[in-house]
Amino acid sequence: MAASRNVVVAGAGIGGLTVALMLARSGFRVTLLEQAGQLSETGAGIQLSPNATRILILLGLGERLRAAVSVPEALAVKTASGGKLARASLGERAERRYSAPYWSIHRADLQAALLEAVRANPDIVLRLGTKVEDFVEHANGLSIACRRGSATADERGIALIGADGLWSGLRTRLGHPKPEFRQRTAWRSLIPADSVEEEFRAPDVQLWLGRNAHVVHYPIKNGQLINIVAIVNDNWAEPGWGADGQRDELLAHYSPWNWCEPVREFLAVPERWQKWALYDLPPLDTWGTGPVTLLGDAAHPMLPFLAQGAAMAIEDAAVLADQMARLPDDPASAMRRYERARRKRTARVQRAAASNGRVYHLTAGEAWARNLFLRIAGGNMLLRRYNWLYDWRAPPPRSVVHSNALPRGHADQD
């Protein structure tokens, strides 16, 4: 593989897979390195807002994904006692408004579609069981030190992208701080839609707000399953994504004094829960150096209260590929232009997510004022508040031809 046109990506999550596809579409070769020995998604559902779905459709994944997604009709906001606060229309209305759909999907279905496209692309090589440990810049690009089991390996390329997630090793290598615990724990579970009462299997994203806790649930798998995320104030700070959680421990955060019985009964349905502690970082002043940068949670880890973690990684991928196509012979400058184009927006999303987290868990008089505002404002105003987020458009795709490029289709053999 010609190092002069090869970009190395560390991490084959949603961000890494997407940027690999975007770069290949723009005329680059990509070596995609993933430290896990196999790609398995332990998560559950995610929401894909129009700013993300229009990029996935641009990549040609629209039909593949439509077979797996659910299309929420609305965002319904309610109180812990069961009161209705606001209902913002999604579905066809959101698609007309933003020229792209709002979807909910199992994370594994999204990853499978991206992975299928990556494996079908002759200009992308995926190496599993390979961890990026260090890099050295030199006159001809980068040498990237990797580990495969007990053996060491070396990759070469013109640029290195760290898409290695919240606990990014490349972020640490670049001298940035570790994520900070935010005294919240998220619990997730999946249940069959026909196992709950009609209110809870409605084709909506339903958000229930309470004291020191909230619940979000929505359909996935074409409405066959319901994805539940319950987030509580907590001091449990163990890193990771898949710790087993006990149902009684969760229900203790949703006491009958604060939460209506239908919600408590709904949360009692799943026999199996997984939990993870919530971490983020204040916006970083810089992301990378030279022809090295970060993407997605590695660059801007955020709390889940705006449902934008995956969307921001997908947006990053589109902008980074665009800047690399504009400056194919100067990847360091392309990286800095990408970072300048993304830092303000991702910082705004980080702040908005953190703000939502505070608003969701208000108590007493503050919650009363929040509820009054939502009832008066209504769903239409609630949706308009996020026009800046959902109406974002990726740069139009462009391709580059390198003077020293290999003919297309000469894929490296793993």
Side-chain angles (χ1 to χ4, degrees), residues 181-389:
F181 176 54
R182 297 306 182 193
Q183 286 72 49
R184 307 281 176 86
T185 300
W187 296 63
R188 62 172 173 242
S189 190
L190 283 173
I191 55 174
D194 59 10
S195 66
V196 298
E197 296 297 325
E198 183 177 357
E199 178 181 14
F200 295 93
R201 60 175 184 265
D204 299 331
V205 177
Q206 298 194 50
L207 170 62
W208 303 77
L209 307 180
R211 181 174 182 172
N212 297 326
H214 75 277
V215 179
V216 180
H217 59 91
Y218 48 85
I220 60 172
K221 296 280 188 180
N222 281 312
Q224 298 175 39
L225 298 177
I226 298 173
N227 181 71
I228 312 172
V229 180
I231 298 182
V232 300
N233 291 10
D234 200 357
N235 292 320
W236 183 80
E238 182 179 320
W241 298 101
D244 289 332
Q246 299 301 314
R247 179 168 50 189
D248 289 346
E249 180 188 350
L250 173 64
L251 288 174
H253 291 278
Y254 294 86
S255 74
W257 295 278
N258 296 315
W259 287 84
C260 64
E261 193 58 26
V263 173
R264 286 177 45 80
E265 291 176 355
F266 174 65
L267 294 177
V269 171
E271 295 182 1
R272 183 172 182 267
W273 288 90
Q274 290 185 308
K275 64 179 182 177
W276 74 101
L278 298 187
Y279 286 77
D280 73 352
L281 268 178
L284 300 174
D285 293 332
T286 60
W287 291 358
T289 182
V292 182
T293 194
L294 301 173
L295 179 147
D297 282 347
H300 41 73
M302 59 186 62
L303 297 172
F305 306 124
L306 203 56
Q308 285 294 305
M312 288 300 104
I314 292 167
E315 285 188 14
D316 285 350
V319 175
L320 180 49
D322 175 69
Q323 292 299 336
M324 287 290 290
R326 290 173 185 268
L327 294 171
D329 299 319
D330 190 359
S333 294
M335 298 296 192
R336 300 296 83 74
R337 288 177 57 162
Y338 149 73
E339 292 165 4
R340 287 194 296 271
R342 294 298 296 157
R343 276 202 307 268
K344 184 176 179 180
R345 177 169 170 82
T346 56
R348 183 179 182 183
V349 174
Q350 285 178 290
R351 290 191 295 267
S355 175
N356 275 1
R358 292 188 292 271
V359 170
Y360 289 177
H361 289 198
L362 293 176
T363 61
E366 292 178 315
W368 180 88
R370 174 203 64 202
N371 296 348
L372 179 63
F373 169 80
L374 286 171
R375 286 191 176 104
I376 294 173
N380 287 335
M381 180 176 175
L382 185 63
L383 193 59
R384 283 198 300 271
R385 291 183 65 201
Y386 294 116
N387 282 347
W388 65 272
L389 184 59

Side-chain angles (χ1 to χ4, degrees), residues 50 71-73 87-102 379-381 383-384:
V71 182
E73 293 181 2
R87 181 178 174 85
S89 296
L90 298 174
E92 292 182 0
R93 184 169 182 177
E95 185 162 2
R96 288 195 305 269
R97 181 172 191 155
Y98 300 115
S99 300
Y102 195 112
N380 287 335
M381 180 176 175
L383 193 59
R384 283 198 300 271

